[in-house]
Amino acid sequence: MSGHFSAYSFVDRIAELDAGQRAKGFFLVPSHLSRFPSALTAEAVGQLAAWNAMAYLDYKVRPVAGLAAEIRFGPEVQPGQRLDLEVVIESCESDAVSYSGWADADGVRVMELDHSVGPMLPMEEFDAPDAVRERFQLLCGPGAPSGRFAGVPEHDIEIVERLAEERVRAILRVPREAHFFSDHFPRRPVFPGTLLLDAQIGLALKFAADWPRWSSGAALAVTRVPDMKMRSFISPGEVLELRIDFAPPSEPDKATATTGVRVNGKSIASGKLEITAGSSK
């Protein structure tokens, strides 16, 4: 399939592997990209853990969606940088994999992920086991060609309510067709949870940027995402209702928020965001 293992794949090589326990790898962020969203660093770490788990369980199952106890973001990764990835598998069973991991760029920690759990589902529903096995062998050998990732499209978001420093609601229209579905996944397309997180981060930062309480020239960033949960798959073409509720300010340079996602009135995802105002220099 066109785009398979390039449209939404973020491990170029697995450099060290202890099956079912730990792994190290890397991904070279293509220099031609305009940006590499921070949420994709979490995706890269998750994919490294997935490769370990899938191989350990002989490609019968694969992790899909899940939850994370906490994600912490450092500086945003720049195009052309190399992401050095590492994961520690806490448990790996046929029903779920649990792991923690982190990513560095130029020796700087850019993301840490604590206690993520990925439910395991039959591989054949989502991808061809033989193709996945062959890709794993390539990653553990010479590695895959870098630079093939072409980026992701801008989110189709419409803001429907704004209540200053309290709440923002919006509609997110998931594309019916997109290149990333070639990787996520070939046999059963699923909108990636990390792209949903990226949409929520972008919406929260855009909403918060106009608040008068920030110091002049402050640069806003989401630095912490505690308790992120996905309760349902998101299919191509679905319309999502996003809601972000902000807590009253407790510190002058921080804001915290609760996120919720609904489809046809049913809750499918939830989490929290922590925004920090730092220097723009």
Side-chain angles (χ1 to χ4, degrees), residues 116-277:
S116 181
V117 178
M120 290 291 205
L121 295 172
M123 174 74 77
E124 290 189 347
E125 289 186 15
F126 297 89
D127 210 333
D130 288 346
V132 175
R133 184 190 303 271
E134 182 179 347
R135 178 70 174 189
F136 178 75
Q137 293 171 348
L138 175 66
L139 295 178
C140 289
S146 60
R148 297 180 62 200
F149 176 59
V152 291
E154 293 293 325
H155 299 293
D156 183 0
I157 292 181
E158 176 188 353
I159 295 177
V160 297
E161 181 188 19
R162 296 171 63 105
L163 190 58
E165 300 201 34
E166 291 187 23
R167 180 172 65 248
V168 59
R169 291 193 306 116
I171 298 299
L172 171 63
R173 297 177 179 87
V174 176
R176 294 188 179 278
E177 297 182 1
H179 195 49
F180 57 76
F181 286 133
S182 298
D183 260 355
H184 207 276
F185 299 95
R187 291 182 173 178
R188 184 179 178 181
V190 175
F191 186 64
T194 43
L195 283 186
L196 175 61
L197 175 59
D198 181 55
Q200 292 172 315
I201 288 174
L203 179 63
L205 292 178
K206 182 178 180 180
F207 177 68
D210 295 332
W211 296 357
R213 63 179 160 104
W214 308 119
S215 59
S216 178
L220 303 184
V222 169
T223 52
R224 185 168 169 263
V225 183
D227 195 26
M228 185 180 74
K229 295 183 176 70
M230 291 288 297
R231 300 184 182 88
S232 178
F233 293 152
I234 300 173
S235 300
E238 286 199 290
V239 178
L240 311 182
E241 307 163 33
L242 309 185
R243 176 167 173 155
I244 303 178
D245 291 285
F246 288 86
S250 58
E251 298 181 58
D253 61 347
K254 287 186 179 180
T256 58
T258 300
T259 65
V261 183
R262 291 179 174 271
V263 174
N264 296 323
K266 178 184 176 181
S267 175
I268 65 164
S270 62
K272 295 179 181 179
L273 302 176
E274 185 175 284
I275 297 174
T276 301

Side-chain angles (χ1 to χ4, degrees), residues 2-78:
S2 176
H4 197 194
F5 301 128
S6 64
Y8 206 71
S9 290
F10 306 111
V11 179
D12 287 341
R13 188 167 182 269
I14 298 173
E16 296 181 26
L17 180 75
D18 188 352
Q21 296 192 43
R22 57 182 295 276
K24 291 183 179 181
F26 65 81
F27 174 73
L28 183 62
V29 180
S31 58
H32 60 76
L33 298 179
S34 59
R35 64 183 290 262
F36 189 78
S38 294
L40 297 190
T41 61
E43 179 72 31
V45 167
Q47 288 185 10
L48 180 61
W51 282 116
N52 191 321
M54 290 186 295
Y56 182 69
L57 297 170
D58 197 28
Y59 310 97
K60 293 181 175 65
V61 290
R62 67 153 302 127
V64 181
L67 57 89
E70 183 169 320
I71 304 172
R72 295 180 295 279
F73 291 118
E76 188 168 288
V77 176
Q78 300 302 311

